Amino acid sequence: MAQSAYIAPNAVLCGDVTVGPHSRVLFGAVITAEGGPVEIGAHCVIMENAVVRGVARHPTRLGDHVLVGPHASLTGCVIEGDTRIATGAVVFNGARLGVGAELDFHAVVHVNTVVPAGTAVPMGWFAGGDPAELVPPSDRDRIRELMGPLDYAGTVFGIGGTATPMQDIAQRYARALALHNRDVVLLPSQRDLLAHEPEEEGEDVRPAGSSRGKIAVDHRFL
């Protein structure tokens, strides 16, 4: 974590998380990188109660100057930079937002979708495909048509053709998340245990002893 970054006392950072220079993670936000890394660039703001997750097949990367609004949810996606993601917006696994793209309140970017640079997804609208087609929430039939080929179940859960999908998903999640039994919580007074390095733009700064791919659990669903 960069020395100039700010992490609120009740924010949660778990796993292989990088927070760049002058970025802020505010109260109640959760950044979890137990399945795959999360990299946050410079001058980013992760606002209250937002959730940012990295997963095994899709690390999450935020470029510089990204604002993630309260209660937004980002999983396994790439945000290239100069982007506003408004309150309640959702970005799914394998998605990519080009430079300057914006999501308005409660917009949804579906799995494996590419939102081109400079594109704005309106309030509550759905974006799906490569390049993204923007669909209003009232057009449910078109949303369903777009969702099918994007393979939500295969991309997010790595499953298909099972007779009991939720049983399989829940059991695998529970096994993988048992890893938290070995968590070590660092209090604000213990932050000197984190390694600080010179804050060059784009430099990869990680907590001491952190590494990728060292956890021997089933992360297909994380």
Side-chain angles (χ1 to χ4, degrees), residues 146-172:
L146 288 170
M147 288 176 64
L150 295 174
D151 188 21
Y152 176 87
T155 300
V156 174
F157 301 119
I159 64 168
T162 177
T164 57
M166 283 314 305
Q167 292 181 22
D168 189 31
I169 290 167
Q171 290 174 11
R172 290 172 183 262

Side-chain angles (χ1 to χ4, degrees), residues 9-218:
N10 67 340
V12 176
L13 276 63
C14 178
D16 189 1
V17 176
T18 301
V19 181
H22 309 291
S23 288
R24 316 292 182 227
V25 181
L26 299 185
F27 301 92
V30 176
I31 304 176
T32 174
E34 51 205 323
V38 173
E39 300 177 4
I40 296 172
H43 300 279
C44 293
V45 178
I46 313 299
M47 297 187 72
E48 294 86 352
N49 300 307
V51 177
V52 181
R53 303 176 69 230
V55 294
R57 289 183 292 173
H58 298 107
T60 293
R61 298 187 179 92
L62 277 60
D64 299 338
H65 307 105
V66 174
L67 174 63
V68 179
H71 299 281
S73 177
L74 282 62
T75 301
C77 57
V78 175
I79 314 299
E80 293 185 351
D82 299 343
T83 293
R84 179 180 66 93
I85 298 173
T87 299
V90 180
V91 186
F92 281 104
N93 307 48
R96 177 180 293 269
L97 274 62
V99 173
E102 291 195 354
L103 306 184
D104 215 329
F105 303 105
H106 299 285
V108 175
V109 179
H110 203 49
V111 298
N112 303 318
T113 289
V114 176
V115 178
T119 300
V121 182
M123 184 184 304
W125 281 43
F126 172 91
D130 181 7
E133 179 178 335
L134 307 185
V135 185
S138 58
D139 194 349
R140 297 181 181 179
D141 290 341
R142 183 54 183 156
I143 290 173
R144 279 193 289 266
E145 289 174 0
L146 288 170
M147 288 176 64
L150 295 174
D151 188 21
Y152 176 87
T155 300
V156 174
F157 301 119
I159 64 168
T162 177
T164 57
M166 283 314 305
Q167 292 181 22
D168 189 31
I169 290 167
Q171 290 174 11
R172 290 172 183 262
Y173 260 124
R175 285 198 299 270
L177 293 171
L179 176 69
H180 286 297
N181 289 326
R182 302 198 299 272
D183 280 356
V184 176
V185 178
L186 296 183
L187 301 174
S189 60
Q190 296 174 302
R191 287 189 178 170
D192 58 341
L193 298 177
L194 298 176
H196 295 297
E197 298 180 16
E199 296 178 5
E200 298 294 335
E201 291 293 330
E203 184 178 1
D204 189 10
V205 181
R206 302 181 184 280
S210 69
S211 61
R212 301 177 190 262
K214 298 297 185 183
I215 301 171
V217 296
D218 186 348

